[in-house]
Amino acid sequence: MNPIQAGSFLTLHYRLSGPDGADIVNTFDDKPATLSLGAGQLSPAIEARLIGLPEGAHETFQLAAGEAFGERNPELLQRVKLTLLRTLGDPDEVYNVGDVVQFPGPDGQGGYAGVVRELGDEALLFDFNHPLAGQPVSFEVQVIGVL
């Protein structure tokens, strides 16, 4: 049996749940995930839990608040002017608290998401923290294959 090592290519089922036990991601009822360890598809803390697991392993790990996705950073709460939002996206878009808005990356490649936390006449307050930042999570994994 091949144990998981840094750089391993993996096929696995996994479930990530937040502090309330609700699934954030769950591949057990669908196709398994394939990923390359170290490519940033999972957080470093979760990847560290996978190192050494053999094919066929089925484990559940509890990660402490902030361990999996970092602590909440108050600097990642930022106001974005509505004029900028209208320029970057649909000028007729109506925003509501809780909406997730995709923003383009500075180089035009990739992007990032922010959650609307507060509405204003001229700007909206966005939270760019990971939704699970500062929270404990549970990670269940079933290793199917390791290359």
Side-chain angles (χ1 to χ4, degrees):
M1 297 267 176
N2 292 331
I4 296 174
Q5 304 172 40
S8 289
F9 188 74
L10 308 175
T11 301
L12 47 77
H13 277 296
Y14 71 97
R15 175 181 295 119
L16 180 68
S17 56
D20 62 358
D23 288 349
I24 307 300
V25 177
N26 183 349
T27 70
F28 283 93
D29 296 330
D30 200 11
K31 296 180 213 165
T34 56
L35 55 96
S36 179
L37 207 65
Q41 294 163 295
L42 297 172
S43 79
I46 290 174
E47 287 191 354
R49 299 297 197 292
L50 297 176
I51 299 291
L53 291 180
E55 289 180 357
H58 191 157
E59 302 284 340
T60 300
F61 302 102
Q62 304 302 318
L63 290 93
E67 186 179 1
F69 299 100
E71 295 297 333
R72 293 195 54 73
N73 181 346
E75 292 180 14
L76 294 179
L77 291 171
Q78 298 193 4
R79 295 198 184 279
V80 178
K81 290 188 177 194
L82 281 168
T83 53
L84 178 60
L85 290 168
R86 306 266 186 252
T87 301
L88 292 175
D90 180 351
D92 299 319
E93 182 73 32
V94 176
Y95 300 96
N96 297 295
V97 171
D99 286 352
V100 177
V101 178
Q102 297 293 324
F103 290 84
D107 58 2
Q109 302 295 314
Y112 52 99
V115 177
V116 177
R117 293 290 179 217
E118 184 180 290
L119 304 174
D121 292 334
E122 295 182 23
L124 305 181
L125 179 65
F126 281 91
D127 185 349
F128 293 103
N129 284 286
H130 187 283
L132 292 172
Q135 298 185 41
V137 298
S138 176
F139 182 76
E140 178 185 2
V141 62
Q142 179 183 9
V143 182
I144 297 168
V146 180
L147 294 175

